[in-house]
């Protein structure tokens, strides 16, 4: 495909993405932006995407194979959040559609919520707050503890986990952590195996991705391993905790409480009923998936993802794409740039170079990166516009080509 004029590239944003994303796109010349305040599904979603070139979503919009089948012009997807499990990454890769997200922009927001909730739980605030709202007065120090001197166990020592670790130590807490990869300990934190961490921690907080290895990570068996009177926090993914088992252990008073922000099944809108076995407990904090939902985080996310989409559309850069070969590209206004995405099979680069040799042109730069079954070649050539277009048309017909784009 030829690169369109920026004002002709249609960008559709769903789920009330922060206005700073639209501002960023407009400043970059992308003025054809359509926004929706909520997630769409079914026929409504397909209708909204049928002529979209770029889309932006959050966690509720599902981009499946069936949806992609009805979006033939789609060339990039921005997930204005951390997770990308709402997108069929294999299918988007097969169609040469890079997917971008914002893995770090709401790190601080999640960490602050976790710290606040662990203090609230250790002080017994949820129950005391409930009693006050009911007209009661539960003035007692029983079951109320400082976090200073307590042991915090962090499962998943990545960007959020390490932020929680630093903040917790500033409160005088002892920090231990578990991660499937070897991670450098920050401050005085110590690595432990999972079972030992569960046994010694007064508070356990989860910061892991959603994949096969983390599904029901906090099973009934592992919840039983937790120290009696401990509390559990989950602001990672809803499938990580067996919520019925958690409810049973809180009911039996083996655990003193929990704070849960993510759930295996969440309401599609604010009007739908929220159902969980934890609803009736006064010592459980339930929040509607708002760990990263601060105005600061949403603005940071909006700008971060919008910039990534602009860079890909403007010059083909794919750095931090979650499903695509990553290439960081300079601006080269004196050349014509061709983007060639193809099946990763031998001989394609040789074929492309042979095509170039048939024209009176110089190769200013050539970039190649592969990822699994996909190869991505970026070719900058110095030539006439007519020769560049002719080369582009020939490259479209190279065996194994998935998508070819002439940028400028």
């Amino acid at each position: 495909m030829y690169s369109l004029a920026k004002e002709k590239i249609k960008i559709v944003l769903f789920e009330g993405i922060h206005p700073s994303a639209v501002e960023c796109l407009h400043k970059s010349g992308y003025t054809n932006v359509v926004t929706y305040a909520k997630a769409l599904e079914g026929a409504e979603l397909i209708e909204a995407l049928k002529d979209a070139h770029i889309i932006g979503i959050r966690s509720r919009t599902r981009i499946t194979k069936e949806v992609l089948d009805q979006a033939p012009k789609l060339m990039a997807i921005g997930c204005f959040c951390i997770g990308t499990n709402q997108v069929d990454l294999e299918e988007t890769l097969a169609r040469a559609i890079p997917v971008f997200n914002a893995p770090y922009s709401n790190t601080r927001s999640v960490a602050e919520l976790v710290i606040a909730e662990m203090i609230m739980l250790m002080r017994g605030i949820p129950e005391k707050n409930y009693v006050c709202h009911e007209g009661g007065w539960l003035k007692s120090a029983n079951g109320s503890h400082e976090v200073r001197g307590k042991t915090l166990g962090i499962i998943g020592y990545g960007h959020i986990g390490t932020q929680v670790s630093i903040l917790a130590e500033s409160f005088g807490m002892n920090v231990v952590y578990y991660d499937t990869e070897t991670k450098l300990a920050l401050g005085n934190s110590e690595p432990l195996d999972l079972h030992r961490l569960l046994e010694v921690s007064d508070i356990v907080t989860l910061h892991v991705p959603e994949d096969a290895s983390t599904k029901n990570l906090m099973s009934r068996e592992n919840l039983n391993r937790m120290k009696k009177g401990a509390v559990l926090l989950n602001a990672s993914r809803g499938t990580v905790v067996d919520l019925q088992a958690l409810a049973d252990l809180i009911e039996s008073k083996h655990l003193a409480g929990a704070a849960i922000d993510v759930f295996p099944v969440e309401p599609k809108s604010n009007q739908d009923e929220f159902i969980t076995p934890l609803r009736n407990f006064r010592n459980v904090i339930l929040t509607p998936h708002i760990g990263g939902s601060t105005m600061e985080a949403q603005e940071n996310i909006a700008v971060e993802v919008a910039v990534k989409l602009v860079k890909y559309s403007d010059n083909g850069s794919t750095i931090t794409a979650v499903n695509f070969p990553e290439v960081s590209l300079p601006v080269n206004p004196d050349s014509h740039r061709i983007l060639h995405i193809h099946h990763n099979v031998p001989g394609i680069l040789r074929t492309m170079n042979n095509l170039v040799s048939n024209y009176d042109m110089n190769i200013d730069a050539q970039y190649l990166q592969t990822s699994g079954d996909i190869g991505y070649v970026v070719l900058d050539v110095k030539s006439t516009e007519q020769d560049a277009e002719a080369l582009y048309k020939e490259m479209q017909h190279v065996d194994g080509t998935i998508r070819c784009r002439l940028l400028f």
Side-chain angles (χ1 to χ4, degrees), residues 184-219:
L184 177 67
L186 300 182
N188 295 312
S189 61
E190 297 180 44
L192 292 179
D193 67 65
L194 178 60
H195 292 175
R196 183 61 182 158
L197 179 147
L198 296 174
E199 291 167 357
V200 303
S201 298
D202 301 293
I203 303 163
V204 173
T205 181
L206 303 167
H207 302 287
V208 297
E210 181 179 59
D211 57 34
S213 69
T214 62
K215 186 172 183 180
N216 268 349
L217 175 66
M218 294 306 293
S219 60

Coordinates of all heavy atoms in Angstrom, one line a residue, residues 184-219:
L184 N 18.0 -8.6 40.2 CA 18.9 -7.9 41.2 C 18.0 -7.4 42.3 O 17.0 -6.7 42.1 CB 19.6 -6.8 40.5 CG 20.5 -5.9 41.4 CD1 21.7 -6.7 41.9 CD2 21.0 -4.7 40.6
A185 N 18.4 -7.7 43.5 CA 17.6 -7.2 44.7 C 17.9 -5.7 44.9 O 19.0 -5.3 44.8 CB 18.1 -8.0 45.9
L186 N 16.8 -5.0 45.1 CA 16.9 -3.6 45.4 C 16.9 -3.4 47.0 O 16.2 -4.1 47.7 CB 15.8 -2.8 44.8 CG 15.8 -2.8 43.3 CD1 14.6 -1.9 42.8 CD2 17.1 -2.4 42.6
G187 N 17.7 -2.4 47.5 CA 17.7 -2.1 48.9 C 18.1 -3.3 49.7 O 19.1 -4.0 49.3
N188 N 17.3 -3.7 50.7 CA 17.6 -4.8 51.5 C 16.7 -6.0 51.3 O 16.6 -7.0 52.1 CB 17.5 -4.5 53.0 CG 18.5 -3.4 53.4 OD1 19.7 -3.6 53.1 ND2 18.1 -2.4 54.1
S189 N 16.0 -6.0 50.1 CA 15.1 -7.1 49.8 C 15.9 -8.4 49.5 O 17.1 -8.3 49.1 CB 14.2 -6.7 48.6 OG 15.1 -6.5 47.5
E190 N 15.2 -9.5 49.7 CA 15.9 -10.8 49.6 C 15.0 -11.7 48.7 O 13.8 -11.8 48.9 CB 16.1 -11.5 50.9 CG 17.0 -10.8 51.9 CD 17.1 -11.5 53.2 OE1 17.3 -12.8 53.1 OE2 17.0 -10.9 54.3
P191 N 15.6 -12.5 47.8 CA 14.9 -13.4 47.0 C 14.6 -14.7 47.8 O 15.5 -15.2 48.6 CB 15.8 -13.7 45.8 CG 17.2 -13.5 46.3 CD 17.1 -12.4 47.4
L192 N 13.5 -15.3 47.6 CA 13.1 -16.5 48.3 C 12.4 -17.4 47.2 O 11.8 -16.9 46.2 CB 12.2 -16.3 49.5 CG 12.7 -15.7 50.7 CD1 11.6 -15.6 51.8 CD2 13.9 -16.4 51.3
D193 N 12.3 -18.7 47.5 CA 11.4 -19.5 46.6 C 10.0 -19.3 47.0 O 9.7 -18.7 48.1 CB 11.8 -21.0 46.7 CG 11.5 -21.6 48.1 OD1 10.4 -21.7 48.5 OD2 12.5 -22.0 48.8
L194 N 9.1 -19.6 46.1 CA 7.7 -19.3 46.3 C 7.1 -19.8 47.6 O 6.4 -19.1 48.4 CB 6.9 -19.8 45.2 CG 5.3 -19.5 45.2 CD1 5.1 -18.0 45.3 CD2 4.6 -20.1 44.0
H195 N 7.4 -21.1 47.9 CA 6.8 -21.7 49.1 C 7.3 -21.0 50.4 O 6.5 -20.7 51.3 CB 7.0 -23.2 49.2 CG 6.3 -23.9 48.1 ND1 6.5 -25.3 47.9 CD2 5.4 -23.6 47.2 CE1 5.8 -25.7 46.9 NE2 5.1 -24.7 46.4
R196 N 8.6 -20.7 50.5 CA 9.1 -20.1 51.6 C 8.6 -18.7 51.8 O 8.3 -18.2 52.9 CB 10.6 -20.1 51.6 CG 11.3 -19.5 52.8 CD 11.0 -20.2 54.0 NE 11.6 -19.7 55.2 CZ 11.2 -19.9 56.5 NH1 10.1 -20.6 56.7 NH2 11.8 -19.3 57.5
L197 N 8.4 -18.0 50.7 CA 7.9 -16.6 50.7 C 6.5 -16.6 51.3 O 6.1 -15.8 52.2 CB 7.8 -16.0 49.3 CG 7.3 -14.6 49.2 CD1 8.0 -13.8 48.1 CD2 5.8 -14.6 48.9
L198 N 5.6 -17.5 50.9 CA 4.3 -17.6 51.4 C 4.2 -17.9 52.9 O 3.4 -17.5 53.6 CB 3.5 -18.7 50.6 CG 3.3 -18.4 49.1 CD1 2.6 -19.6 48.5 CD2 2.5 -17.2 48.9
E199 N 5.2 -18.7 53.4 CA 5.2 -19.1 54.8 C 5.6 -18.0 55.7 O 5.2 -18.0 56.9 CB 6.2 -20.3 54.9 CG 5.7 -21.6 54.3 CD 6.8 -22.7 54.2 OE1 7.9 -22.4 54.6 OE2 6.5 -23.8 53.7
V200 N 6.5 -17.1 55.2 CA 7.0 -16.1 56.2 C 6.4 -14.7 56.0 O 6.6 -13.8 56.9 CB 8.6 -15.9 56.0 CG1 9.2 -17.3 56.2 CG2 8.9 -15.4 54.6
S201 N 5.6 -14.5 55.0 CA 5.1 -13.1 54.7 C 3.9 -12.8 55.5 O 2.9 -13.6 55.5 CB 4.9 -12.9 53.2 OG 6.1 -13.1 52.5
D202 N 3.8 -11.6 56.0 CA 2.6 -11.1 56.7 C 1.6 -10.5 55.6 O 0.4 -10.5 55.8 CB 2.9 -10.0 57.7 CG 3.9 -10.4 58.8 OD1 3.4 -11.3 59.6 OD2 5.0 -10.0 58.8
I203 N 2.2 -10.1 54.5 CA 1.5 -9.5 53.4 C 2.1 -10.1 52.1 O 3.3 -10.1 52.0 CB 1.5 -8.0 53.4 CG1 1.1 -7.4 54.7 CG2 0.8 -7.4 52.2 CD1 1.5 -5.9 54.9
V204 N 1.2 -10.6 51.2 CA 1.7 -11.1 49.9 C 1.0 -10.2 48.8 O -0.2 -10.1 48.8 CB 1.3 -12.6 49.7 CG1 1.7 -13.0 48.3 CG2 2.0 -13.4 50.8
T205 N 1.8 -9.7 47.9 CA 1.2 -8.9 46.8 C 1.7 -9.5 45.5 O 2.9 -9.9 45.3 CB 1.6 -7.4 46.9 OG1 1.0 -6.7 45.8 CG2 3.1 -7.2 46.9
L206 N 0.8 -9.6 44.5 CA 1.0 -10.2 43.2 C 1.2 -9.2 42.1 O 0.4 -8.3 41.9 CB -0.1 -11.1 42.9 CG -0.5 -12.2 43.9 CD1 -1.9 -12.8 43.6 CD2 0.5 -13.3 44.0
H207 N 2.3 -9.4 41.3 CA 2.6 -8.5 40.2 C 3.2 -9.4 39.1 O 4.3 -9.2 38.7 CB 3.6 -7.4 40.6 CG 3.0 -6.6 41.8 ND1 2.0 -5.7 41.6 CD2 3.3 -6.6 43.1 CE1 1.7 -5.2 42.8 NE2 2.4 -5.7 43.7
V208 N 2.3 -10.3 38.5 CA 2.8 -11.2 37.5 C 1.9 -11.0 36.3 O 0.8 -10.5 36.3 CB 2.7 -12.7 38.0 CG1 3.6 -12.9 39.2 CG2 1.2 -13.0 38.4
P209 N 2.4 -11.5 35.1 CA 1.6 -11.4 33.9 C 0.6 -12.5 33.8 O 0.6 -13.4 34.7 CB 2.7 -11.6 32.8 CG 3.7 -12.4 33.4 CD 3.8 -12.0 34.9
E210 N -0.3 -12.4 32.8 CA -1.3 -13.5 32.6 C -0.7 -14.5 31.6 O -0.6 -14.1 30.4 CB -2.6 -12.9 32.2 CG -3.7 -14.0 32.0 CD -5.0 -13.4 31.6 OE1 -5.1 -12.7 30.6 OE2 -6.0 -13.6 32.3
D211 N -0.4 -15.7 32.0 CA 0.0 -16.7 31.0 C -0.3 -18.1 31.6 O -0.8 -18.1 32.8 CB 1.5 -16.6 30.6 CG 2.4 -16.6 31.7 OD1 2.2 -17.3 32.7 OD2 3.5 -15.9 31.7
A212 N 0.1 -19.1 31.0 CA -0.2 -20.5 31.4 C 0.4 -20.7 32.8 O -0.1 -21.5 33.6 CB 0.2 -21.5 30.4
S213 N 1.6 -20.2 33.0 CA 2.4 -20.5 34.2 C 1.8 -19.7 35.5 O 2.0 -20.2 36.6 CB 3.8 -20.1 34.1 OG 4.0 -18.6 34.0
T214 N 1.0 -18.7 35.2 CA 0.4 -17.9 36.4 C -1.0 -18.2 36.6 O -1.6 -17.7 37.6 CB 0.6 -16.4 36.2 OG1 -0.1 -16.0 35.0 CG2 2.1 -16.1 36.0
K215 N -1.7 -19.0 35.8 CA -3.1 -19.2 36.0 C -3.3 -20.0 37.3 O -2.6 -21.1 37.5 CB -3.7 -20.0 34.8 CG -5.2 -20.2 34.9 CD -5.8 -20.8 33.7 CE -7.3 -20.9 33.8 NZ -7.9 -21.5 32.6
N216 N -4.1 -19.5 38.2 CA -4.3 -20.1 39.5 C -3.0 -20.3 40.3 O -2.9 -21.3 41.0 CB -5.1 -21.4 39.4 CG -6.6 -21.2 39.5 OD1 -7.1 -20.2 39.9 ND2 -7.3 -22.3 39.2
L217 N -2.1 -19.4 40.1 CA -0.8 -19.4 40.8 C -1.1 -19.5 42.3 O -0.5 -20.3 43.1 CB 0.0 -18.2 40.5 CG 1.3 -18.1 41.3 CD1 2.3 -19.2 41.0 CD2 2.0 -16.7 41.0
M218 N -2.1 -18.7 42.7 CA -2.5 -18.7 44.1 C -3.7 -19.7 44.2 O -4.9 -19.3 44.4 CB -2.9 -17.3 44.6 CG -1.7 -16.4 44.7 SD -0.3 -17.1 45.7 CE -1.0 -17.1 47.3
S219 N -3.4 -20.9 44.1 CA -4.4 -22.0 44.2 C -4.7 -22.2 45.7 O -4.1 -21.6 46.6 CB -3.8 -23.3 43.7 OG -2.6 -23.6 44.4

